[in-house]
């Protein structure tokens, strides 16, 4: 559930931002990110979360409601984007473009996991808050 929300948000933000992005979000932190991409990431994450809940979790996690899946998806989307921007701040302060070269063309290993840094504990606390675990 967590990974689907994050990956769907990242993919939606990238595709819409590249195609339709006109307004830079914070060019001093991450020059490629746009406001349009950010909004698309939020929408993509929430849609993916609700669809995943409906098709995969509704029978296996009957305590989770539609509202909870929507809210958790939105919170995870926001925290994953903040996590991604935070890692970009660290890279800019260090004067590097990529966090490594382990995965060529993808900015390094940390760049593949940066969205999960804040989102994973946030997901855990959301599950605790709604008494789902």
């Amino acid at each position: 559930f967590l990974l689907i929300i994050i990956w769907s948000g990242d993919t939606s933000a990238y595709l819409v931002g590249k195609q339709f992005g006109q307004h830079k979000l914070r060019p001093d932190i991450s020059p490629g990110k746009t406001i349009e991409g950010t909004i698309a990431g939020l929408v993509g994450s929430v849609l993916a979360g609700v669809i995943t809940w409906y098709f995969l979790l509704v029978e296996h996690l009957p305590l989770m409601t539609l509202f909870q899946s929507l809210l958790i998806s939105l919170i995870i989307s926001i925290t994953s984007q903040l996590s991604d921007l935070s890692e970009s701040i660290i890279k800019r302060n260090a004067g590097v473009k990529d966090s490594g070269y382990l995965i060529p063309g993808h900015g390094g290993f940390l760049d593949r996991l940066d969205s999960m840094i804040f989102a994973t504990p946030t997901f855990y606390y959301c599950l605790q808050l709604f008494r789902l675990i």
Side-chain angles (χ1 to χ4, degrees), residues 9-68:
D10 285 350
T11 302
S12 300
Y14 176 77
L15 293 175
V16 171
K18 283 290 184 194
Q19 186 71 29
F20 303 105
Q22 298 287 321
H23 305 92
K24 298 295 182 183
L25 182 64
R26 285 294 305 264
D28 55 325
I29 296 174
S30 189
K33 289 186 178 35
T34 64
I35 293 171
E36 295 84 359
T38 300
I39 293 168
L42 290 171
V43 171
S45 289
V46 171
L47 284 174
V50 169
I51 290 168
T52 302
W53 168 79
Y54 182 78
F55 285 107
L56 298 178
L57 298 178
V58 86
E59 291 180 19
H60 303 291
L61 195 57
L63 296 177
M64 183 185 277
T65 65
L66 173 62
F67 176 75
Q68 289 171 335

Side-chain angles (χ1 to χ4, degrees), residues 1-9 76 116 120:
F1 186 67
L2 173 69
L3 295 177
I4 289 171
I5 292 168
I6 292 172
W7 292 338
S8 297
I76 294 307
M116 294 174 51
T120 302

Side-chain angles (χ1 to χ4, degrees), residues 2 76 118-130 133:
L2 173 69
I76 294 307
F118 295 163
T120 302
T122 300
F123 180 58
Y124 172 78
Y125 287 117
C126 283
L127 293 177
Q128 287 283 338
L129 176 70
F130 291 123
I133 57 170

Side-chain angles (χ1 to χ4, degrees), residues 83-105:
S83 188
D84 187 8
L85 283 172
S86 297
E87 195 256 346
S88 293
I89 291 171
I90 293 168
K91 289 190 313 185
R92 296 302 165 246
N93 286 338
V96 296
K97 182 187 178 305
D98 296 329
S99 64
Y101 303 102
L102 183 62
I103 309 170

